[in-house]
Structures are given as C-alpha cells and as structure tokens.
Amino acid sequence: MKLAFRTLLKTPGFTLIAVLTLGLGIGANSGVFSFVNTLLVRPLPLPQVHELVFFGEHSEQVPNMSVAYPNFLDWRERQQSFTHFGTFRGQSFNYIGPSETERLAGAQFSHDLWPTLGIQPLVGRWFRADEDKPGAPPTALISESFWRRSFGARPDVIGSTLTVSGEIYTIVGVMPAPFAVPNNQTDIWVPLGLSADQLTDRGNHPGLYCIGRLRAGVSVEAARNDLIAIARQLEQEHPGTNTGNSIALQPLVDTVFGQVRTSVWVSFAAASGVLLIACANVANLLLARASARSREFSIRAALGATRLQLIRVVLAETFLLSLAGTALGLLIGHTTMEAIQSILPANSPLGSQVRMDFNVFAFSVCVGVGVTLLAGLVPALTASKVNLNEGLSAPGSRGTAGGVHARWRSVLVASEFALTCLLLFASGLMFRTLYNLYRADTGLKTDHVVSFTYAMPGRDWADATKRTQLLDRALARLRELPGVTSVALTNPLPLTGGGNQTFFVPEGTPDPGPGRRFSTENNAASRDYFATMHIPLLRGRTFTDRETSDEDKICIIDSTFAETHFAGQDPIGKRVILGGSAGNTSMSTIVGVVGHVQNFGIGQDTRAQLYFPYRQSPPTNLAFVIRTSLEPAALASSIRAAMREVEPTLPVFAIRTMDELFDNTVTNQRIMLILLGVFGGVALLLAAIGLYGVLSYIVGQRTREVGIRMALGASASSVRRLMLGQGLRLASAGLTVGLLICFAASRLLSSVLYEVSPYDPLSLAAVVALLVLVGLLACWLPARRATKVDPATSLRAE
C-alpha cells in the first residue's frame, strides 16, 4: 500500500482526474440512493410500517371514495384481519396566536388509530375512547414543532387549553417530530367522535379514510377479501346507500409513495449509469497507465515478480483511488441529496424522511470500492500478462499488450456512448413531456392570477346568511385593491387535487338506482369566477348576485356533462336531480354551459363538472381567486391587510399564484427532467473525455505510422480523416448499441410521459445529432495533433 500511495503521488494529474471522475459517479449514486433507502428500508417513521394498510370505499362511479362513518363502525366491529383499526380525515383550524391569527393543518382521528400507528407521545398521552364521542370534553394532541413555537416547549403544557376555530380544547399530549400523519405539516389532532352525531348518514362520504394493522400471518390480500365480504353484507343490509360499494385497499407505503416511486427508481437508474460511465473512464485511464508502464512491469517480471504480485500492484493503486473517490463521492452525494430536497414540494413525503444514514454510507463504500476494483481488474490482468521480449525492447515499439489495451479501451468508450445515449434519450422524452404539459389546455388561464384559502369554521359561522354577508364584503374589498381586474371565490380550488362529488340523474331519465347513478364534481362559485379564470361560457349565462338559498336552485354544467347527458340537445332549462339517497335530493335547473377544466392536473382523469352559486349554500371552506394586471406575488401583503379589515379573527393562508399550483401538478416530471438532464450532461462530458483519451492514445501509438504516411506523401487532411474515422467508428458503435437499449428500455418511462411516444423519433434524432457532434469535437483535437507530426522527428525516434 505504501508503494501504491507513493506511485500515485508521483502522477498527481492522473490521480486527480481518476478521483474526480469516481467522485462524480459515486456521488450521483449515493445522493439518489438516499431516496431509494427511504422507500425500501424506512419509508415512514412508524413501527412495523409494512403491517399497515390504507383503505377507503370503491364504486364504479367513484373509484377512490372516502368512507361513510357508519360503514367504518361496522367494519371495525366485524373485521377479523387487524389487531387495530382506525379512521381519520384532514381538517384545518384557525388559531389566534400571540401576534396574528394563523391556520393550523390538523386532523380528526378516531381513538383506535393511535394504537394502530404505534407512535407514543413525546409528552402526555393519546385521547381515550370515552373522549372520542359526542358531548365529551374536547381534547387535543399537538405536534412537537407547534409545542416549541407556541408554548416554548413547556413541560407543563399537558392540561393547558387551546382555542382553535372557536372551540376550547384541553391538550393531553405532544406528538414527536417524526410523526407525519396525515402529512408532515399537521400540528393538531382532535377526536373524530366529537362530531360523530353529524356523520350518521350512511350515504355521506365525508373525507374519511382508514388505516389498519394486520394481524400476524394475515396477508394484504386476505385482509382485502375480509373487508370485501363485509362490504357485501352491508350492501344487502343497506341497499339504498351501499349498493355497488366495495373496498379499495393497499399497503400504506404504496399510498404515500406511489406517485414518486417511479421517479425515484428512474433517477437511481440514471445515477447508476453515470457511475458505470465513470468507472469505464477510470478503467480507460488505468489501461493507458498500464500500457505506459509495460516496460516497468517487464523489468519487475524479469527480476522475479509473479503475475499475482503484478496484479496486486495495480489493484492496490486502484483500491486507494476507490477510497479517495468514495470519500469525495459521499460529499458530492450529500450535496446531491440536499439539492434534490430543495426542489421537492413542502408536503412531499420524502422531504423530511431522507438523510445520509449508515445504510447510504455502507452502500456508497461497497459500491464505490467494489465497482472501482472491478474496473481495475481488466487493466490489472492485461498489465500482468508480460512479454519480456516486447517489454524490454525499445520504448517506442508496439507489442501485443498495446493492442489488447487498445481493444479494451475501445470497448469501454463504446459502452460509455451507449449508456450516454440512453440517459440523453430519457432526458429528451422528459423534456418533450414537460413541454407538452405546459402547452396543454387546462380549460382555464393561470397567468396573472393569485389565490388564497379562507375558512369560517365553528359555531360562530354556522349561520349561512352571516357567511354570505362576510364573503360579499370580502369580494367588494378585494376589488378595490390596486391592479385587480376581477375577483371571485370557488370551492374547491382548481389544480389542487381536491374535489366534491355528488350523484345525480337528469330529469326525465329513468333512475338507475343506488350504486348506478351518475357522478359529477360539485363546485361552488361566485358571479365572476368564470371570467376571472377565463373559463369560456359556451351557452346560456353565468351566475348573478341575485341567487340565494330562498330561490329555485340553479346550476351551470361543463361541456363534458352536456356532451355525456344531453348529446344533441340544448341543456339550458333542463333540470337534474342531485343527491344519492332517498329523502336527500334536490332539483336544480341548468342555466349555462362552460368549458371543461382539468381540476386534478393535465392527464388526470376528471369527471363531468357542475357549478352552483355559492349564495345558495355558502361553504365554510373556500378559495378566492384574483386576476391582476400587476405581478401576482406582489399582492400578498395587500390581500392580508384587506382581509384583516373585513374580519380580523379569520386568517388568510396558502397565498399562491395559479402558475405555482400548475407547477405543483407537474412536480414529478420536472424533477425527473432536472435529474436526468444533469446526469445525462455529466455522462456526456465523461464519454467525450473518454473518447478524447482513447484517440489521443491511438495517435501516440501510431506516431511512427503517421510519420511514414506523411513521408510517403499523405496530406494532412487524409491523416485527419483517418484519425477522425477511427474515433467516430467507436462513437457510432456505442451509439448503435445505445439506440437498441433505448428501444428496449424506454417503455419503462411510459407511465410518466404525456403526449409523447416512448420511441419518439424527434428525441432520438436530437440525441444522435448531439452525440455525433460531441464525438466530432472529442476526436478533432487528437486528429489535428496527428497532422502536426514531423516525419523526420518520428522516424529518428524509432
């Protein structure tokens, strides 16, 4: 090892390039593996997380339906598959803090969800079964972060009271920071049973979902069959509400990470490609070094060194390079991990869980050292195969070893170009996907629109007339802000993934019965909503300020609704029966038709849409949208000030531009493009360096041949073509293999592509052109140097 260390110090240029190359490959790999490690080893900070399953209800009309509370109670009583079983739903709260009113992300939990999840409070206890029912004294658990910022981490916080949304809760526990259910921004948990008397309608699906912990030996499939059997029983017992309803169940980890798993694995494959290219480059460097040291190894062999001893000399140097490259790679990997985290959304399940732990460290060391030693094995074997006659002859002579080295280096460079071709093609597909997503028609215009969320919770705002009056004042005040051209409100806000569904039957159409009625997205909107969002009015009229809860109910439908249920007819004036169960229906008259909006993002399935005037049933949670001639982000402070004037006790939260909301819908594709682009660029640079190095080596080996050619009259251009041809043949061979790999592997990206074929010819053509251009540039300098050979000098040297 001491000899290997001294030898590497004597060639600092070689050592520095090899370590940097390895550091880039290992760093990209370890940075992305930190995310893979989270998915595989510790996806959620919950004990025995792979025993947890997540489920809701399922029907043909609403595939991912929330759970009716009475159904949950029946499932809990009859199931045989779970040790614990609970339900929850997200709920936000208004909290009047020391300086201002803020909105707290929260959740309602059934008491049995706590033992299901298995995380003990940092301080205090969970709420009990007797506190999880109507009329019980209100209790709450708070997050560690909220405890620290609002209570100064006081140990005597247990028993303190907390007033949120007009209700007074007694704090009984503090949950530790890693706990992140439903998400990593939740600050308060309250008993769901406090409002159980409002959830007795079995036809109402109020946003509840369930989590269960499997009994020992019970599979996910067995638990699914158990719950499906109960659902069939309930269908027989309650045909009016449960006909056609079943269960949608999957592991909790799949629910949380399902959308990002493909992105993580594709990114890891790309990073692994960079590592392989880096190792191929290092192998090339080692082959060149071994060729240059052939005389040294021949002398060693002549003095009695065995082949095994010569192999150990090369592998010892390779091992030291791998250690230095791995150390640098861990630093680059940590930077890579932080860079990826910085572009993740704030609510990403990966954002707070990923870290460089022992698993990542061990993986990086094993892969870095192992792959580098494998890369050094071929140079070690070829260098140790000594021919004493050739090795001890004149330094400039070429022998069989040089030819073997050249062939191996050519294979490695071609492999680098093949892998680079694959990475660049994947980058091209993602670029085309993102380009198509940003050009796609969402049904509305997001530019120059700012939105914010508003809530009027609790008993103080139970009166619908009071809510309507407040909203009218807010709309009027916001219209007065400088630069504002129009203001409206809506529930839900488009592009956020939220939505309300309701069943309906067009008047005059035979009622297909429970479980077979049509389903539509149900949206509240104000008079100017369609104008503010530039949603086109196709027929009829929009809302006015005259619609109230006392008037006959009216609605506006979208083009999908009209084409599906009123094909070939004028829907204006026709009526629809809204509601899914007997005694809970209403009649609404259609007054307009507007364009369809992709509420869940481009490429996501959306149902037909129906809008009703907010005055007929003012929601307690809603969003404002403001179109402005100014920069939308500059309105934030003016919005907060205006809304404080209207009602100082209610906070404004989640102020975002609509462009930001659209960006959030394409987060996975954007992150994949960034990572694939960066890794593809690194791979391209390494492949170009590899080709340059190989051709430079070839030029050096063929100096005498070039000198003879030029002495016999060969022109500089013919020598240049000779060398360019040799380099481009290597690049072309790698490109051909790379294209074949692209055709075989591109289907793996199909699930994240939009409006682009996995065999997109434009992307393929761009990659081929780029690699040919880079190949030409990498070959040009060595080829040009070959034309500068002085025939007399080269022949004298021989």
Side-chain angles (χ1 to χ4, degrees), residues 628-656:
T628 174
S629 58
L630 306 176
E631 184 62 33
L635 277 179
S637 58
S638 299
I639 289 172
R640 287 192 176 93
M643 295 303 289
R644 273 196 298 267
E645 292 177 18
V646 173
E647 178 50 63
T649 64
L650 298 180
V652 167
F653 56 101
I655 299 180
R656 297 165 293 184

Side-chain angles (χ1 to χ4, degrees), residues 57-61 65 231 234-236 238-246 503 512-517:
E57 295 195 57
H58 170 88
S59 72
E60 184 178 345
Q61 293 81 7
M65 185 164 53
L234 295 177
E235 186 174 6
Q236 296 296 319
H238 309 281
T241 56
N242 285 50
T243 298
N245 290 0
S246 187
F503 294 106
R516 298 181 179 85
R517 297 187 178 101

